[in-house]
């Protein structure tokens, strides 16, 4: 169980880094994948950059917690961070995105993050 808990946590944190990178360097496709398309050259540029910095920071903080503080602090971090994809789900639904993206990506992400937290608490 320890290997699974740490592996899932590392994968989720690296995924956050990937999302951050994508929003910073490929903002148009990243926004479309998020579920609310936005023009990076228009008024949405700041939103896309903020999203990239936010996601990248979550990845860095998660990896630092896992490496330097251990499983339990990372579990609490994951538990708190699970609120973000739930909020993202509501944003997508409120702004005309599809239910498939809202639930299939954002809600599912929240569930996986909560599973990761549970596994880390069990370590």
């Amino acid at each position: 169980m320890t290997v699974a808990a740490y592996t899932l946590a590392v994968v989720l944190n690296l995924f956050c880094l990937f999302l951050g990178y994508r929003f910073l360097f490929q903002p148009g496709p990243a926004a479309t994948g998020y579920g609310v398309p936005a023009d990076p050259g228009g008024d949405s540029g700041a939103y896309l950059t903020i999203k990239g910095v936010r996601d990248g920071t979550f990845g860095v903080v998660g990896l630092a917690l896992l490496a330097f503080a251990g499983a339990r602090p990372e579990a609490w971090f994951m538990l708190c961070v699970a609120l973000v994809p739930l909020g993202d789900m509501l944003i997508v639904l409120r702004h005309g995105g599809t239910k498939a993206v809202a639930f299939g990506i954002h809600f599912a992400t929240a569930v996986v993050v909560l599973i990761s937290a549970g596994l880390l608490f069990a370590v």
Side-chain angles (χ1 to χ4, degrees), residues 40-52:
D43 291 342
S44 301
Y47 140 73
L48 298 170
T49 302
I50 290 165
K51 174 92 167 82

Side-chain angles (χ1 to χ4, degrees), residues 11-22:
V11 167
L12 287 171
N13 287 311
L14 290 175
F15 187 63
C16 284
L17 285 173
F18 166 75
L19 290 174
Y21 168 86
R22 191 158 182 237

